[in-house]
Amino acid sequence: MSGGTVGGGLLVAGTTSDAGKSVVTAGICRWLVRQGVKVAPFKAQNMSLNSFVTREGAEIGRAQAMQAQACRVEPSALMNPVLLKPGGDQSSQVVLMGKPVGEMSARGYHGGRQQRLLRTVLECLAELRGTYDAVICEGAGSPAEINLRRTDIVNMGIARRARLPVLVVGDIDRGGVFASFFGTVALLSPEDQALVAGFLVNKFRGDVSLLEPGLDMLRGLTGRPTYGVLPFRHGLGIDEEDGLRVSLRGTVRESNVYPPVGEDVLRVAVCAVPLMSNFTDVDALAAEPGVVVRFVDRPEELADADLVIVPGTRGTVKALAWLRERGLADAITRRAAEGRPVLGICGGFQILGEHIEDDVESRQGQVDALGVLPVRVRFAREKTLTRPVGTALGETVEGYEIHHGVAEVTGGEAFLDGCRVGSVWGTHWHGSLESDGFRRAFLREVAAAAGRRFVPAADTSFAALREEQLDLLGDLIEQHADTDALWRLIESGAPQGLPFIPPGAPA
């Protein structure tokens, strides 16, 4: 296969949120690019606090940046024209073509704004389809959310407008996958059903032959084939949207665990603050042999940690209050006074400062912060979106910034754009720990301060590990999906004459 029909496309939908749409999309992208196909990812509307900054200074979902890497292309705002960043249960910041355009309630968004964005979404998709051989689109949630179908621009709404065939992914590890597949189709209108070409089973454990009778019955019931059964693989939860379930106390960041190079392991505790953003900042730490990363929500869970991280958050003042209510704030300030390592990233950096003046995000005015770093923060209406490069600890560092808070550093040692006082570090830079030399230097400092005989591995390359993961996703598609049938779907669209499954969408 080489080249193919210009403008081919596919929408990867799911029976539920977290069914595996993001990684399946990435896997299809990596499989295609290895076949010589020029391919790009696309997600019309993404709701996530895990975001990324493109080289042109546009904010997009980090999942789409990861999928662009799977395609071996530079990420662009075209690939995720609408990003919603929740600020609570009732409202989200709307980011359009990489720039914030305001806050909006869910009712206001679905009540009309969403449809006004459809033209932008379609223009972006058309531009990508005019440039690439294939565009692999990711849906959101489930296409059978019948309460939202009228205003949908990310699932069947975009599939209908762009005439995209739809592949429905189901997570069999959750159970109920056959009912989910059948019910998803049966709740769609005849026009929508005509684009649903078939199914893909994700996260299967066991003997596939035991599943085959069910797949045959599913085809008999729906008239649609299953395009593959992907086996469960540990450690493939890369750059999810909001896939981290931090409500589970002591959640360990999904990664392959390797023994330490030195005599000791290094334990990292990440405070699971509300509205946590860019939790993937710690993935590079979790990839290091001998580093164990946990997400915690109780002060006693900090006691044996060698490093405590206060991560980014979409609600800095809210997260600060949560840390105080939980007793974590006192535990962090005690650590700082004792010279035990603490790292604040973005909103976490702001929390470690002296005070925060916020008339933008929480609108609570001036709030006293933890006071362990000589930093004063004022929230600006304009969001900072940059891709800085600098040096720290004698090493080159790259990162990206996404924040409204403007920090005035009044003391300490310079550390990236922030500062350091003893064993407490703070910076607005996301992604800095992905710079291998800097990460090793930082871990050596942490180990020395914590009194651990931990030695960073000399050859860990986070970029190479990420490429290995993306190749593994491509292997899963190549080895366990009907790739010939998938390519026909991408090239030619949904088969004609697919049967209607009653009752269909309610009137």
Side-chain angles (χ1 to χ4, degrees):
M1 176 173 32
S2 178
T5 301
V6 172
L10 175 68
L11 176 70
V12 179
T15 56
T16 61
S17 295
D18 205 29
K21 297 183 292 292
S22 294
V23 293
V24 167
T25 299
I28 293 174
C29 288
R30 178 49 63 100
W31 159 65
L32 285 172
V33 81
R34 292 195 308 206
Q35 307 306 311
V37 178
K38 188 180 178 184
V39 59
F42 179 77
K43 185 161 185 171
Q45 170 200 293
N46 199 344
M47 177 173 279
S48 179
L49 289 172
N50 202 19
S51 59
F52 182 77
V53 179
T54 67
R55 294 208 179 277
E56 67 267 25
E59 184 180 9
I60 66 171
R62 189 161 170 115
Q64 279 60 66
M66 176 267 293
Q67 291 160 359
Q69 185 178 349
C71 297
R72 298 179 179 145
V73 298
E74 191 67 31
S76 159
L78 292 171
M79 298 170 183
N80 179 206
V82 181
L83 174 64
L84 306 178
K85 303 193 71 174
D89 294 335
Q90 300 295 326
S91 67
S92 294
Q93 183 181 65
V94 181
V95 179
L96 178 62
M97 294 303 294
K99 303 297 181 183
V101 293
E103 297 278 335
M104 185 165 289
S105 69
R107 180 181 293 274
Y109 185 69
H110 290 285
R113 178 64 179 269
Q114 196 170 23
Q115 282 295 293
R116 293 197 292 274
L117 297 175
L118 180 59
R119 180 175 178 178
T120 299
V121 163
L122 290 170
E123 288 172 350
C124 290
L125 178 56
E127 185 170 342
L128 289 174
R129 295 183 82 178
T131 306
Y132 292 88
D133 298 335
V135 179
I136 307 303
C137 308
E138 180 188 342
S142 163
E145 292 167 350
I146 54 179
N147 56 314
L148 302 177
R149 175 62 185 88
R150 182 179 61 83
T151 58
D152 171 48
I153 65 170
V154 66
N155 290 307
M156 300 314 299
I158 192 75
R160 283 269 293 279
R161 293 295 190 106
R163 303 305 301 169
L164 292 169
V166 179
L167 182 70
V168 180
V169 177
D171 179 357
I172 197 169
D173 201 45
R174 294 183 172 192
V177 74
F178 291 116
S180 298
F181 281 145
F182 183 87
T184 296
V185 179
L187 280 176
L188 301 178
S189 69
E191 296 82 4
D192 286 352
Q193 286 193 25
L195 293 173
V196 178
F199 313 105
L200 187 75
V201 176
N202 193 27
K203 298 184 184 178
F204 180 71
R205 306 172 192 249
D207 185 346
V208 176
S209 67
L210 299 176
L211 192 64
E212 288 171 351
L215 301 178
D216 291 340
M217 285 186 275
L218 181 66
R219 181 163 193 164
L221 288 166
T222 66
R224 291 159 172 85
T226 297
Y227 283 77
V229 177
L230 307 185
F232 183 93
R233 289 287 186 270
H234 181 71
L236 291 181
I238 52 176
D239 291 3
E240 308 103 321
E241 292 170 3
D242 295 299
L244 182 68
R245 298 294 176 253
V246 294
S247 59
L248 300 176
R249 182 172 291 117
T251 298
V252 177
R253 183 72 181 128
E254 187 176 357
S255 63
N256 294 312
V257 179
Y258 300 101
V261 175
E263 296 181 45
D264 289 342
V265 299
L266 209 61
R267 296 172 178 84
V268 179
V270 184
C271 298
V273 297
L275 299 173
M276 180 166 48
S277 61
N278 291 70
F279 55 81
T280 48
D281 279 337
V282 301
D283 280 1
L285 293 180
E288 280 284 346
V291 176
V292 179
V293 177
R294 293 189 307 156
F295 290 82
V296 303
D297 61 3
R298 296 185 302 184
E300 56 267 31
E301 293 174 300
L302 305 188
D304 67 345
D306 302 305
L307 170 66
V308 169
I309 295 179
V310 187
T313 170
R314 172 79 167 88
T316 302
V317 172
K318 182 177 182 179
L320 176 59
W322 181 87
L323 289 169
R324 285 180 168 137
E325 290 165 3
R326 296 269 176 154
L328 287 159
D330 289 340
I332 291 167
T333 53
R334 280 197 303 272
R335 285 185 67 90
E338 293 165 0
R340 302 177 66 196
V342 178
L343 170 65
I345 302 175
C346 200
F349 166 43
Q350 297 165 8
I351 285 169
L352 296 180
E354 295 170 352
H355 66 251
I356 300 166
E357 186 180 334
D358 181 12
D359 295 317
V360 176
E361 194 175 76
S362 69
R363 298 183 176 87
Q364 290 193 26
Q366 186 162 308
V367 178
D368 288 335
L370 298 189
V372 296
L373 287 177
V375 177
R376 300 167 185 168
V377 176
R378 175 185 56 81
F379 272 62
R381 297 198 177 278
E382 188 76 15
K383 181 184 278 192
T384 297
L385 296 168
T386 63
R387 289 274 294 271
V389 177
T391 58
L393 306 181
E395 300 286 345
T396 300
V397 191
E398 295 184 22
Y400 56 99
E401 295 185 53
I402 306 170
H403 55 91
H404 284 279
V406 178
E408 179 191 355
V409 178
T410 60
E413 300 175 45
F415 178 71
L416 302 177
D417 71 328
C419 67
R420 171 187 183 175
V421 175
S423 294
V424 181
W425 297 264
T427 177
H428 274 131
W429 290 23
H430 295 288
S432 63
L433 294 167
E434 295 179 19
S435 297
D436 297 327
F438 166 71
R439 182 180 64 255
R440 287 191 276 270
F442 177 71
L443 289 176
R444 283 192 290 269
E445 295 251 352
V446 168
R452 295 289 185 188
R453 290 172 293 183
F454 169 85
V455 178
D459 57 352
T460 301
S461 167
F462 185 73
L465 290 171
R466 176 53 51 86
E467 279 295 303
E468 288 176 14
Q469 287 184 308
L470 293 171
D471 276 332
L472 182 53
L473 290 177
D475 292 344
L476 288 176
I477 297 298
E478 189 168 336
Q479 296 167 11
H480 300 282
D482 185 343
T483 53
D484 288 340
L486 265 182
W487 178 245
R488 287 195 297 271
L489 203 59
I490 293 166
E491 189 177 36
S492 305
Q496 297 296 308
L498 291 168
F500 171 70
I501 308 301

